[in-house]
Amino acid sequence: MEKRKLSFWQIWNMSFGFLGIQFGFALQGGFMSRIFQTLGAGKEEIPMLWIAAPLTGLLVQPIIGYMSDRTWSVKWGRRRPYFLVGAVFSSLALFFVPHSPALWIAAGFLWILDASINVSMEPFRALVADKLPQSQRSYGFVVQTLIIGIGTWIASNLPWMVSQLGVSNEAASGVVPMSVKVAFGVGALVFLASILYTVFTTDEYPPEDMEEFEREKAKKNNFIPDILNNIGSMPTTMKKLGVIQFFSWFAFFTMWSLANPALTEHVFATPAPIETAYNMADALQAEAFKVANTKFQESSNSVGSAMGIYGLSSMAFALLLTLYTSKRNINRKYVHMFSLILGGIGFLAMSYASPENLKYCFVLIGFAWGSILSMPYAMLSSSVDPKKMGVIMGIFNMFIVIPQIIAALGGINFVSSLLGEEAINAMTVAGISLVIAGLCNLLITNKNAISYQEEEI
């Protein structure tokens, strides 16, 4: 089937649901560690508490990709039913997670939240490849990145924004501040509304050969053998991209899980107070804990706002690429390589940052983030069977979640401890990892993946 080129607004509509998905991811990435610390977690425990995120991605995305490849509804299409189901459960989890009364409950909600986000997210990647011709793939993924950047910046600033409106940043020991609760509630509403917008403004192409599609559906479900067969036969380009993804996502998982403890301690000098270090029966000690906790919560807002800058710079990066790729081809390989190296420099510079210039570190990280969300998928979609796009995108997610699982199971703590005990060393590890990821782009040699050239007719 020859796919027609779509206008900017048609691509915008089909990608708009990513605004909500990124609200969920940004609130999770920017503030889950803060919630864990508020509920009593030590900084060395935080990566393990985050293991829910990559594990659910490892399990959910290949399954959803496989199922969506085999789904078709005249009314709802192929990918949209999964958008909607994921959105409902994600919104519920976002609303309830900051109200968790105990650490184990917050960790449980993270499992539900991340599983639900993954149900919505994986089909969005496949939808771009379903709807757009090869010549618009880079353009389509870059528009997604533009929307993701908008969502990252707004969501990362939500607790600060609502606190500026008078919502309290103070809370009793072990209680998440109201500013965070309100921010997560707003995120839940945005998530659901943006997904609904895409569901009702976007249609989908039916299977090219409906009879063959129905025969495939009628066959015995061989999910596990099919997944294993696709893993065993993955293209060489996909394997090379997997190496790049490994180091890229190791770096960003390190940021999401440990940026708050590292930066509140190293840059703002306001680490999370440990309640057992204070005699809470003594009025002066109890007041000292309250003051220290309030300073930690305020600096956590500042860290979240600084992190939001990477969403803003990724948005600017995506906007420039959108304007360029709407008319021209780009060398995806070199764009991705230099973007990742710039992001690595941003992480490395955090060791020398002050509260005033921390935002510039995240500006550089935003270039890497904008590229990570577009270039690998554009390269991949140009080198795989379009009939298997959903399951291939799901399998490709393995290269995202495996490094995160390794990081959560002690990889971050082990590697950063080689540099010393300071929390900021985790950000240095993230920087080194991202520079390695950038250099690994030199492995990519597939010309179609590097820069798709539309055939002249």
Side-chain angles (χ1 to χ4, degrees):
M1 179 191 301
E2 186 175 343
K3 300 171 185 176
R4 64 185 179 88
K5 288 188 175 183
L6 302 186
S7 69
F8 170 80
W9 289 112
Q10 288 173 315
I11 297 174
W12 175 273
N13 289 345
M14 64 185 270
S15 301
F16 190 75
F18 243 116
L19 179 72
I21 290 173
Q22 196 55 34
F23 260 69
F25 270 130
L27 288 168
Q28 173 184 299
F31 303 103
M32 275 309 302
S33 291
R34 174 181 179 177
I35 291 171
F36 288 151
Q37 285 185 283
T38 299
L39 295 173
K43 61 187 178 185
E44 69 283 347
E45 300 174 276
I46 291 174
M48 179 61 77
L49 291 169
W50 270 83
I51 198 169
L55 273 181
T56 51
L58 181 65
L59 297 172
V60 171
Q61 287 218 16
I63 294 172
I64 295 301
Y66 182 84
M67 291 173 62
S68 66
D69 280 344
R70 298 166 66 88
T71 296
W72 176 253
S73 163
V74 174
K75 182 176 182 180
W76 297 105
R78 171 175 292 174
R79 316 295 180 184
R80 287 177 293 161
Y82 300 93
F83 301 166
L84 192 55
V85 171
V88 171
F89 285 99
S90 295
S91 298
L92 290 172
L94 274 171
F95 180 82
F96 285 111
V97 69
H99 296 272
S100 301
L103 188 59
W104 69 269
I105 294 177
F109 271 123
L110 180 58
W111 280 86
I112 298 170
L113 174 60
D114 207 82
S116 303
I117 292 176
N118 275 290
V119 170
S120 286
M121 185 181 72
E122 193 284 332
F124 263 101
R125 298 296 190 193
L127 183 65
V128 170
D130 289 346
K131 290 275 292 178
L132 297 179
Q134 284 269 22
S135 59
Q136 281 194 309
R137 295 278 174 82
S138 292
Y139 186 37
F141 285 115
V142 167
V143 171
Q144 275 193 356
T145 303
L146 176 62
I147 292 171
I148 289 169
I150 295 169
T152 299
W153 181 70
I154 297 174
S156 296
N157 279 284
L158 273 178
W160 175 83
M161 289 176 180
V162 299
S163 68
Q164 294 301 300
L165 296 174
V167 180
S168 178
N169 240 337
E170 296 183 7
S173 174
V175 177
V176 176
M178 184 56 67
S179 59
V180 178
K181 293 177 180 177
V182 172
F184 273 68
V186 171
L189 291 174
V190 172
F191 198 120
L192 186 59
S194 63
I195 292 287
L196 288 173
Y197 180 86
T198 286
V199 167
F200 291 114
T201 60
T202 302
D203 56 8
E204 297 184 65
Y205 289 119
E208 290 189 37
D209 187 332
M210 187 60 73
E211 291 184 3
E212 181 184 355
F213 177 79
E214 293 296 338
R215 285 196 298 271
E216 286 295 320
K217 279 182 63 177
K219 289 181 180 178
K220 183 181 178 181
N221 195 324
N222 294 313
F223 168 69
I224 294 177
D226 283 355
I227 292 290
L228 293 176
N229 180 60
N230 280 293
I231 291 173
S233 60
M234 71 173 66
T236 301
T237 298
M238 185 173 172
K239 295 175 184 177
K240 293 176 179 178
L241 286 168
V243 177
I244 300 166
Q245 293 288 81
F246 180 93
F247 289 104
S248 299
W249 287 89
F250 189 97
F252 273 88
F253 182 85
T254 300
M255 181 188 75
W256 293 323
S257 60
L258 290 175
N260 197 70
L263 298 177
T264 52
E265 177 183 307
H266 182 80
V267 177
F268 292 89
T270 55
I274 301 171
E275 187 176 355
T276 54
Y278 294 81
N279 179 6
M280 301 302 283
D282 182 287
L284 290 175
Q285 290 273 310
E287 181 63 23
F289 174 85
K290 181 180 178 182
V291 170
N293 188 50
T294 299
K295 287 182 177 178
F296 166 71
Q297 298 295 349
E298 289 174 349
S299 64
S300 294
N301 274 0
S302 297
V303 170
S305 295
M307 288 181 71
I309 296 295
Y310 87 85
L312 200 60
S313 63
S314 72
M315 180 177 67
F317 174 83
L319 183 59
L320 290 173
L321 281 181
T322 299
L323 295 172
Y324 192 86
T325 57
S326 64
K327 302 293 183 182
R328 306 172 184 86
N329 290 310
I330 58 172
N331 189 306
R332 299 160 178 166
K333 169 180 171 175
Y334 288 122
V335 167
H336 198 40
M337 181 174 74
F338 289 115
S339 299
L340 294 180
I341 291 173
L342 285 175
I345 293 170
F347 278 120
L348 294 171
M350 287 180 177
S351 294
Y352 312 98
S354 67
E356 293 74 27
N357 60 33
L358 180 62
K359 57 182 176 288
Y360 300 114
C361 298
F362 283 106
V363 168
L364 295 178
I365 291 167
F367 296 144
W369 183 236
S371 190
I372 284 171
L373 294 174
S374 54
M375 292 301 104
Y377 298 99
M379 287 190 272
L380 176 68
S381 65
S382 296
S383 56
V384 299
D385 182 353
K387 293 180 180 179
K388 298 180 178 180
M389 195 60 68
V391 69
I392 289 296
M393 288 291 182
I395 292 171
F396 191 56
N397 189 60
M398 292 169 52
F399 297 120
I400 295 175
V401 298
I402 290 174
Q404 295 182 65
I405 291 171
I406 292 172
L409 290 175
I412 297 173
N413 290 338
F414 173 74
V415 179
S416 61
S417 69
L418 298 177
L419 303 177
E421 296 301 317
E422 296 84 359
I424 196 63
N425 290 330
M427 299 300 99
T428 301
V429 168
I432 294 170
S433 184
L434 211 49
V435 170
I436 293 171
L439 295 175
C440 285
N441 277 273
L442 297 173
L443 297 172
I444 306 296
T445 56
N446 184 310
K447 292 181 179 180
N448 206 38
I450 292 170
S451 181
Y452 177 76
Q453 300 294 325
E454 190 171 19
E455 293 181 6
E456 296 184 3
I457 298 176

